[in-house]
Amino acid sequence: MSEPAERARKLDALDELGGKRVEFVLDDVIYLDGNSLGALPAVVPGRVEDVVRRQWGELRIRSWEESGWWTAPERIGDRIAPLVGAAPGQIVVGDSTSVNVFKALVGAVRMAGEGRDELLVDATTFPTDGYIAESAARLTGRTLRPVAPADLPGALGDRTAAVLLNHVDYRTGRLHDLPGLTAAVHEAGAVAVWDLCHSAGALPVGLDEYGVDLAVGCTYKYLNGGPGSPAYLYVRREWQDRFDSPLPGWNSHAEPFGMRAGYEPAPGALRGRVGTPDIVSMLALEAALDVWDGVSVDAVRAKSLALTDFFLECVAAYVPEGRVECVTPVAHGERGSQIALRCDDAGDVMKRLIERGVVGDFRAPDVLRFGFTPLYVGFADVERAARVLAQTLA
Amino acid sequence: MSEPAERARKLDALDELGGKRVEFVLDDVIYLDGNSLGALPAVVPGRVEDVVRRQWGELRIRSWEESGWWTAPERIGDRIAPLVGAAPGQIVVGDSTSVNVFKALVGAVRMAGEGRDELLVDATTFPTDGYIAESAARLTGRTLRPVAPADLPGALGDRTAAVLLNHVDYRTGRLHDLPGLTAAVHEAGAVAVWDLCHSAGALPVGLDEYGVDLAVGCTYKYLNGGPGSPAYLYVRREWQDRFDSPLPGWNSHAEPFGMRAGYEPAPGALRGRVGTPDIVSMLALEAALDVWDGVSVDAVRAKSLALTDFFLECVAAYVPEGRVECVTPVAHGERGSQIALRCDDAGDVMKRLIERGVVGDFRAPDVLRFGFTPLYVGFADVERAARVLAQTLA
């Protein structure tokens, strides 16, 4: 047994999250793409079958009340809350991340008030955030300015209404300093909006603790909610009364079944709801969240860092120097739960890796991206992935 | 056998859609709430199970390509197209109806151009349309004016940018004159947007034929897509190049995987997409649409009118005169696929009706609403429903 393989055996034996793996449907593929689509939790198929066959098929319309469909967005929001450091009553689930970014940004600009005419957006963020921010700026008459997170402090000022930042860079895996940047945004008197797509479920976020104003995130990556499962919106309790959504659908009405012509927003997080919730996908997500019972996000983070450290160690041991370049920061405080390796033929390499049973993804133009989901990825997987990578690169 | 019961037997024997009933999961409940949540098509559970267990569970990320997930919004849009009289390439599925109303209205105002400062909305429409229209008007600097459909021709003018109308009134079941009102909107140089939630799947719509500009609809009523299944957006082909969405998410980008900082909209209907499509719910809908194979919407409409006529006939025969008042128009050309009966104690009556196995719904303050889905409601159901209603009202 090679030295890294021996190390992997020991690390797996000590892994306190190792027992979680059996709660997922896995095979002999090394799945390092949970940061794109999480693996299927074993509890989900049976629950979805119940939702379809019994709740929809037998109870039909009665399920809106009897099966708890109507309250699902806030109930599931409260299940996500502890994973991102939020007290209950501040998160609702529903719509896509893009739609929630729109609600959050228009809401943020309105919170900031008339005098502030600039909207700053993380220039390195996943593109949709920038596109939607541009639309929010256009519709609210603000100017959009893309700024790299590192340059943010110098860009903030009296004109800044709101700032949209991504917690983890989807390409490089760089973790941004949420406490520090949020504090800087607040010092400038602006509203801080965070996109948690690549951090929620992989590391502690601390929304309440660090005073984040608004946040959004998807649920199909580290939260394993299923393909395109509904996203969520966090509105800090102190802001809820002033949160003025650009999508005031009937589900956010104070009295939705009053069917009144005039709009009156519901109190609390409910204000972030829009239309009829997408029940089948939403309850698949609810089932998927069961795997978090008894899991500490700190333990997840510790394992995530151990996994990515170990992957870098194995890559160093197996892959000839200079063949790939790691673009993910080495410092723990700056690293999410993925490793991005640059090489000229990344597209082709990833194709061959997948053929050999190691699934990551390619991000144009030259990045091999490997995501490490601590709930189901083990150290032996990591060693094998690095070994197959080295063979593929050879 | 009573005279109506005998008539029901004969009508069922002649029903050319009678054979469709076995394609749904039904029991001895008379389900007259398919205009709120359609019954479960029998093909759905197995297909959803495949989506969850095999496509997600085994193929995982590969399914975006191999299981056709990525193209689902436009593929399923093309399945809905013939049901609403649209040629392929003009409908995408995704998001809720409310979100699609927002895209359509902001898009419509932008199509209409700067000179037109008024947005008209059907004053009798389902409330969410009015709330969203108000937001669209506010964000685009237009004035919102609610107008009853009957008063629309007099309200149109040079100032009108766009008009949002509901094809069938959700409360009364009144069918509005889509060809005539669309022509009137066009004569005023404005853009016509229709909400098809209560008509699609129940009667011919003729979007292409009558020159409708934009349309939205849900899929969980007469299209039986499941609770909160994704809605759709129709953008007439001639307008697609000018459709400027307020929700330009990455799925609507000309090159979504190019991950480019600048937004460039995709050609065609794809421009109506926003974020990652909600696959489980969307593919449940796709399976549900199988029941439409070989079904003519004209046959559905003919049966729908026969069902509602027969219901009125049975109510007249069984219910003492004056006990309820029908608020649905008697003229076929003005009737959707539901019958709304007004009575003072409607809330209580509906509760007792449901206890007796006849499921409709109550709309505040005083309406009993009964929806008739021609694919699975038969004439004997209608006779029994009226009989139980009479007993309940006695």
Side-chain angles (χ1 to χ4, degrees):
Chain A
M1 199 179 263
S2 69
E3 198 272 326
E6 180 58 27
R7 286 251 301 134
R9 209 185 49 77
K10 286 181 184 156
L11 288 164
D12 277 328
L14 294 167
D15 177 13
E16 62 172 295
L17 293 174
K20 279 281 154 186
R21 187 185 177 100
V22 298
E23 295 185 29
F24 291 86
V25 175
L26 295 164
D27 47 29
D28 57 359
V29 165
I30 308 288
Y31 192 65
L32 302 180
D33 214 359
N35 53 338
S36 192
L37 174 66
L40 172 67
V43 71
V44 169
R47 291 274 281 283
V48 170
E49 187 175 4
D50 181 63
V51 171
V52 174
R53 287 191 193 270
R54 186 181 62 84
Q55 297 182 16
W56 173 14
E58 295 176 21
L59 299 178
R60 289 181 285 260
I61 196 72
R62 290 164 49 191
S63 273
W64 280 109
E65 197 169 320
E66 291 176 33
S67 304
W69 288 357
W70 184 259
T71 53
E74 52 271 22
R75 180 178 73 241
I76 303 172
D78 282 348
R79 295 281 302 275
I80 293 171
L83 303 178
V84 291
Q90 300 175 102
I91 295 181
V92 285
V93 174
D95 305 307
S96 66
T97 305
S98 298
V99 169
N100 282 297
V101 167
F102 185 74
K103 293 181 217 171
L105 287 183
V106 174
V109 164
R110 289 173 174 170
M111 287 168 179
E114 283 306 318
R116 292 172 174 264
D117 69 347
E118 215 172 54
L119 183 56
L120 303 184
V121 64
D122 180 346
T124 62
T125 191
F126 187 76
T128 210
D129 290 21
Y131 307 157
I132 294 289
E134 196 173 0
S135 174
R138 174 181 173 192
L139 284 165
T140 57
R142 265 63 175 181
T143 303
L144 181 71
R145 183 146 65 112
V147 179
D151 301 332
L152 182 70
L156 290 162
D158 288 352
R159 294 181 55 187
T160 316
V163 182
L164 170 62
L165 290 156
N166 211 310
H167 199 186
V168 174
D169 185 306
Y170 78 100
R171 233 171 58 88
T172 65
R174 176 180 289 275
L175 171 67
H176 296 302
D177 174 16
L178 182 142
L181 291 171
T182 302
V185 170
H186 287 166
E187 213 161 296
V191 179
V193 184
W194 284 90
D195 178 335
L196 310 177
C197 284
H198 286 85
S199 62
L203 50 92
V205 177
L207 291 178
D208 285 355
E209 183 179 356
Y210 301 117
V212 168
D213 303 299
L214 295 151
V216 304
C218 77
T219 63
Y220 47 78
K221 299 180 190 285
Y222 298 108
L223 299 179
N224 315 301
S229 55
Y232 57 91
L233 174 69
Y234 164 89
V235 181
R236 190 175 188 76
R237 194 175 305 285
E238 294 89 318
W239 280 118
Q240 291 176 350
D241 285 349
R242 286 181 56 194
F243 177 66
D244 184 0
S245 173
L247 292 170
W250 73 294
N251 273 233
S252 69
H253 197 283
E255 205 194 324
F257 292 94
M259 304 285 162
R260 296 210 303 264
Y263 180 72
E264 188 197 322
L270 292 179
R271 207 170 273 204
R273 288 179 61 161
V274 184
T276 303
D278 205 332
I279 292 302
V280 179
S281 289
M282 196 167 283
L283 299 191
L285 164 63
E286 184 171 35
L289 291 170
D290 280 3
V291 301
W292 293 94
D293 288 351
V295 172
S296 124
V297 179
D298 289 329
V300 167
R301 174 61 168 163
K303 182 173 171 188
S304 161
L305 288 170
L307 287 168
T308 49
D309 275 346
F310 185 57
F311 183 65
L312 290 175
E313 195 180 312
C314 293
V315 168
Y318 294 147
V319 176
E321 213 180 316
R323 183 66 179 86
V324 297
E325 176 203 357
C326 179
V327 296
T328 303
V330 173
H332 282 181
E334 297 172 7
R335 190 195 302 164
S337 198
Q338 74 179 57
I339 294 293
L341 302 176
R342 182 179 288 151
C343 69
D344 291 339
D345 49 346
D348 189 47
V349 168
M350 185 50 73
K351 212 168 144 192
R352 282 182 290 136
L353 263 180
I354 292 170
E355 283 163 12
R356 291 169 182 212
V358 175
V359 177
D361 51 22
F362 164 62
R363 281 291 171 257
D366 58 3
V367 166
L368 299 170
R369 195 176 78 154
F370 301 97
F372 298 84
T373 303
L375 295 187
Y376 56 75
V377 172
F379 294 90
D381 297 327
V382 168
E383 187 273 337
R384 198 181 115 201
R387 193 154 29 88
V388 175
L389 173 65
Q391 290 158 4
T392 307
L393 288 166
Chain B
M1 199 179 261
S2 71
E3 198 272 325
E6 179 59 27
R7 286 251 301 133
R9 209 184 49 76
K10 284 180 185 158
L11 287 164
D12 277 328
L14 293 168
D15 177 12
E16 62 172 297
L17 293 174
K20 280 280 154 188
R21 188 186 175 101
V22 298
E23 296 184 28
F24 291 86
V25 174
L26 295 164
D27 47 28
D28 57 359
V29 166
I30 308 287
Y31 192 63
L32 302 180
D33 215 357
N35 53 338
S36 192
L37 174 65
L40 172 65
V43 72
V44 170
R47 292 274 283 282
V48 169
E49 187 176 4
D50 181 64
V51 170
V52 174
R53 287 192 193 270
R54 186 181 61 85
Q55 297 182 17
W56 173 13
E58 296 176 21
L59 298 179
R60 290 180 286 259
I61 196 73
R62 290 164 50 192
S63 274
W64 279 108
E65 197 169 320
E66 291 176 32
S67 303
W69 288 356
W70 184 260
T71 52
E74 52 270 23
R75 180 178 71 240
I76 303 171
D78 281 348
R79 295 281 303 274
I80 293 171
L83 303 176
V84 291
Q90 300 176 102
I91 295 182
V92 285
V93 174
D95 305 307
S96 67
T97 305
S98 298
V99 169
N100 282 296
V101 167
F102 184 74
K103 294 180 217 171
L105 287 183
V106 174
V109 164
R110 289 174 174 171
M111 286 169 183
E114 282 306 317
R116 293 172 172 265
D117 70 347
E118 214 171 56
L119 183 57
L120 303 185
V121 64
D122 180 346
T124 62
T125 191
F126 187 77
T128 210
D129 290 21
Y131 307 157
I132 295 290
E134 196 173 359
S135 175
R138 174 181 173 192
L139 285 165
T140 56
R142 264 64 174 183
T143 304
L144 182 70
R145 183 145 65 110
V147 179
D151 301 331
L152 182 69
L156 291 162
D158 288 353
R159 294 182 54 188
T160 315
V163 182
L164 171 63
L165 290 156
N166 211 309
H167 200 186
V168 174
D169 185 306
Y170 78 102
R171 233 171 59 87
T172 64
R174 176 180 289 275
L175 171 67
H176 296 303
D177 174 15
L178 182 142
L181 292 170
T182 301
V185 171
H186 286 166
E187 215 163 296
V191 179
V193 185
W194 285 89
D195 179 335
L196 310 177
C197 284
H198 286 85
S199 62
L203 50 92
V205 177
L207 290 177
D208 285 353
E209 183 180 355
Y210 301 117
V212 168
D213 303 300
L214 294 150
V216 303
C218 78
T219 62
Y220 48 76
K221 298 180 191 285
Y222 298 108
L223 299 180
N224 314 301
S229 56
Y232 57 90
L233 174 69
Y234 164 89
V235 181
R236 188 174 190 75
R237 193 175 306 284
E238 293 88 318
W239 280 118
Q240 290 176 351
D241 285 348
R242 286 180 56 192
F243 178 67
D244 183 3
S245 172
L247 293 170
W250 72 294
N251 273 234
S252 69
H253 198 284
E255 205 193 326
F257 291 94
M259 304 286 163
R260 297 210 303 263
Y263 179 71
E264 187 197 325
L270 292 178
R271 206 171 273 203
R273 290 180 60 163
V274 184
T276 303
D278 205 332
I279 292 301
V280 179
S281 289
M282 196 166 285
L283 300 191
L285 164 63
E286 185 172 35
L289 291 171
D290 281 2
V291 300
W292 293 94
D293 288 349
V295 171
S296 125
V297 179
D298 288 330
V300 166
R301 174 61 169 165
K303 181 174 174 187
S304 160
L305 289 171
L307 288 167
T308 50
D309 275 347
F310 185 58
F311 184 64
L312 290 175
E313 195 180 312
C314 293
V315 168
Y318 294 148
V319 176
E321 213 181 316
R323 183 67 179 88
V324 297
E325 176 203 356
C326 180
V327 295
T328 303
V330 173
H332 282 181
E334 297 172 7
R335 191 196 298 165
S337 197
Q338 74 178 57
I339 294 293
L341 302 176
R342 182 179 289 151
C343 69
D344 290 341
D345 49 346
D348 190 46
V349 168
M350 185 49 73
K351 210 168 146 188
R352 283 181 290 135
L353 263 181
I354 292 170
E355 283 162 14
R356 291 168 183 214
V358 175
V359 177
D361 50 23
F362 164 61
R363 281 292 170 258
D366 58 2
V367 166
L368 299 169
R369 194 176 78 155
F370 301 98
F372 298 83
T373 303
L375 296 186
Y376 56 75
V377 173
F379 294 89
D381 298 328
V382 169
E383 188 274 338
R384 197 180 116 201
R387 193 153 31 89
V388 175
L389 173 65
Q391 290 159 4
T392 306
L393 289 165

